[in-house]
Amino acid sequence: MVRAYSNHLANAKLFGFCRVLSMWTGSIYKLIWAEMAIYFLLYYAYWAVVTFALDKGQRLSWLETLQPVDEAIETIPIEFLLGFYVAYVQYTRIPWVDKVCHLLNIAILETSENAVQVRALKRKILRYLKLGEAWLYRDICPAFTKKMRTQDDILRLGLATEEEVRMLSDSSIHHSMYWLPFTWATQLVNEANNRKWTVPFLVRDVIREIGDYKDGVDMILKYCTVPVPLCYTQVVTIALYGYFACALFTAYTDLYLPTVLLVKFVVYFGWLKVAESLICPYGDLD
């Protein structure tokens, strides 16, 4: 679930961004608060030891010893790794049924004699498109699976009949049958064409648009079954955690609040958490 917030920025009021920054659901604070709490507890424990257990000379000597480490960790290309990682996993393609609706409206014609039958056929075609998409989401989206846990849930929503559910749940086939309703939809278009209910030159456009809709659903499946290479995820994670493990010691300051370290932590860890969320965009995160 993605939290909608664009309406809060619609008028571009003075300090309107403060309301957006104060949101909790779907926010960066919700993603990183646990890691931040642990990290800064460790930082202040280290800060207390250096500040109160060491005298001024020992403290200066210790900080000089850590200077090469501070210079070394700044050579780690954190921005490049995280930027490429987020760009790699970013995914926004979700099929929309609107164009199919518009084409069906002009391609399959209603008359006084067939109005009831044509409307029922159009609704059935659209139902099949949403059924194929929903059947795939049952396999890849935990939140959706919780709502569609059983076949009775599908029947209750009117997405399928008992016979259709039985065909989709055929135990002799060991992979998802989400593609089958799209085949049923094209068969219905062909049936309407055979009954002379269609505008002939638009039939091909309807079939093509149904195919494009299925391609969008296919892309969702491909995205979920062909993930970001594990080694790249490990490289980014190790680099970031290693960077802040070293920064824990090198970012010592006489100030009570290490502002620069805090900002870096929010930005870099927030960046990483965004990428991790996008790896599985259909998961339980909000």
Side-chain angles (χ1 to χ4, degrees):
M1 179 186 70
V2 178
R3 171 73 181 271
Y5 62 91
S6 56
N7 58 312
H8 297 303
L9 300 175
N11 298 324
K13 294 181 180 178
L14 184 63
F15 301 120
F17 66 91
C18 293
R19 187 170 183 181
V20 175
L21 293 179
S22 64
M23 292 179 179
W24 175 255
T25 303
S27 69
I28 193 60
Y29 321 119
K30 188 174 180 180
L31 287 176
I32 69 171
W33 74 267
E35 287 91 342
M36 178 180 288
I38 294 172
Y39 185 79
F40 279 94
L41 281 175
L42 294 174
Y43 172 81
Y44 281 113
Y46 167 73
W47 182 87
V49 170
V50 174
T51 302
F52 301 112
L54 302 180
D55 59 34
K56 185 176 181 179
Q58 291 173 324
R59 186 161 54 250
L60 291 176
S61 177
W62 172 247
L63 295 178
E64 287 177 3
T65 303
L66 293 176
Q67 187 63 33
V69 178
D70 187 33
E71 295 173 356
I73 63 173
E74 293 303 326
T75 63
I76 301 175
I78 296 294
E79 294 88 350
F80 172 78
L81 290 172
L82 286 172
F84 186 78
Y85 191 44
V86 172
Y88 189 95
V89 303
Q90 192 172 26
Y91 183 77
T92 56
R93 179 168 181 173
I94 295 177
W96 295 88
V97 77
D98 304 61
K99 195 171 181 181
V100 181
C101 295
H102 298 156
L103 274 173
L104 287 176
N105 190 46
I106 62 174
I108 303 180
L109 304 176
E110 297 181 18
T111 65
S112 57
E113 298 177 352
N114 67 5
V116 174
Q117 292 173 296
V118 168
R119 290 174 186 173
L121 183 136
K122 290 178 181 178
R123 286 196 295 267
K124 197 171 185 180
I125 291 172
L126 296 175
R127 178 172 67 81
Y128 281 152
L129 298 188
K130 301 311 293 183
L131 173 60
E133 186 179 0
W135 203 263
L136 175 64
Y137 286 150
R138 291 179 76 234
D139 296 330
I140 65 173
C141 180
F144 192 88
T145 303
K146 291 177 182 177
K147 295 182 179 181
M148 301 293 165
R149 193 179 302 275
T150 65
Q151 296 177 1
D152 290 338
D153 294 326
I154 297 288
L155 297 174
R156 176 173 48 81
L157 290 178
L159 285 175
T161 64
E162 291 185 6
E163 177 63 18
E164 290 164 355
V165 169
R166 185 190 63 78
M167 296 174 67
L168 290 169
S169 305
D170 189 349
S171 59
S172 64
I173 300 177
H174 301 293
H175 56 80
S176 177
M177 296 285 286
Y178 77 93
W179 52 269
L180 188 56
F182 297 103
T183 302
W184 297 338
T186 56
Q187 289 174 344
L188 288 178
V189 175
N190 187 51
E191 177 185 330
N193 188 49
N194 292 336
R195 294 188 180 186
K196 309 299 183 183
W197 292 349
T198 60
V199 178
F201 67 88
L202 290 177
V203 172
R204 181 177 298 179
D205 292 334
V206 175
I207 298 296
R208 183 186 299 114
E209 194 58 39
I210 291 175
D212 290 343
Y213 190 90
K214 180 182 177 296
D215 288 343
V217 177
D218 289 340
M219 286 298 295
I220 294 174
L221 177 62
K222 292 174 183 177
Y223 183 84
C224 292
T225 54
V226 185
V228 177
L230 176 62
C231 58
Y232 190 71
T233 299
Q234 291 173 334
V235 166
V236 174
T237 304
I238 291 172
L240 189 65
Y241 277 82
Y243 176 88
F244 279 100
C246 295
L248 183 69
F249 299 99
T250 61
Y252 175 86
T253 176
D254 291 333
L255 301 176
Y256 290 107
L257 180 65
T259 308
V260 175
L261 183 62
L262 177 62
V263 171
K264 283 186 175 181
F265 191 95
V266 171
V267 172
Y268 289 164
F269 261 89
W271 213 346
L272 179 65
K273 292 298 182 179
V274 167
E276 290 175 349
S277 300
L278 290 174
I279 287 178
C280 184
Y282 304 102
D284 289 330
L285 295 176
D286 52 19

